[in-house]
Amino acid sequence: MELSSEQISSFHENGFLVIPNYFTTEKVLELREAMKGILNNFEYTEAQTIFTTGADQTSHADDYFLGSSDKIRYFWEEDAWEYIKDEEKGTTTKKLVNSVHESINKVGHALHDLNPAFENVTYDKRVGKICKDLGLSKPLATQSMYIFKQPRIGGDVCPHQDGSYLYTTPQSCLGFWWALDKCTTNNGCLWAVPGSHKNGVQRHYRRVSKDSNVTTKTEYYPPEKENFDLTNAIPVEVDMGALVLIHYAVVHYSAKNTSNDPRHAYSVHIIDGADGITYPETNWLQRPSTMPFRE
């Protein structure tokens, strides 16, 4: 797949680009079935980390999350659990309100290297060609996520820039976001602020310690929360199978899914590994030397 000059210009002007019908219906169903199989073999009592993109994400940066770079790990919706207090025993237990399939927020962050179905679409030649068209000389896939946006409980994703969470020097992160359902304002589609990428990235989410005994392992720098101007934000409503390309600095977000419809998506973040571009050790996502990023 080769991007047209008009598509490349649109991406650089707006900070994102929609490519309809990237996946066939058959490919979407294949990916959904692959994830269903992953969840069917998942022992959920071993993983109870809730995923959040709120302002205090540092409080959720536990070892399970930080150690997910070379594994397939599981993260829950905030409203997935019911907490049951036993006043007599002075204990609190929790149980899932719904089934695992209806409660999971996302699965990540090495799906693209550890599962054949997701590996095949991630390292497809079309992905590499798009990266080259948008200026990446040596595209390296860093992380992947299957996002569920569950009906009725699918949480919101606050306004953010991908370059705050995965960054290189100079910046090069490019997001690939595939819609595995029809995405509308009713079920929590993406929203983006066209042109906001021209302001650059001013804040980073970074590691401050690798010591498992240290409570705070990550921080935002600078610590002050950014107040993004969302006045000109537009909904990015797309059909199933569409691809949304996301510039590292464009401000984007999504609302809660209060509908009865799911909004599944598969997302990959790719950086440039060319000479002269570095991947700082302060990135929260760090691969072991035995499993380097792949081109």
Side-chain angles (χ1 to χ4, degrees), residues 182-201:
K182 183 179 180 66
C183 302
T184 70
T185 54
N186 291 326
N187 67 349
C189 70
L190 291 176
W191 287 70
V193 183
S196 56
H197 63 299
K198 297 176 183 178
N199 297 322
V201 176

Side-chain angles (χ1 to χ4, degrees), residues 245-285:
L245 298 170
I246 302 174
H247 188 281
Y248 63 79
V250 76
V251 177
H252 60 290
Y253 60 98
S254 64
K256 291 182 178 180
N257 181 4
T258 58
S259 76
N260 292 318
D261 300 318
R263 198 229 63 186
H264 291 204
Y266 176 57
S267 175
V268 175
H269 290 98
I270 297 175
I271 62 169
D272 197 342
D275 290 343
I277 299 177
T278 60
Y279 185 82
E281 292 185 356
T282 50
N283 268 297
W284 77 265
L285 186 139

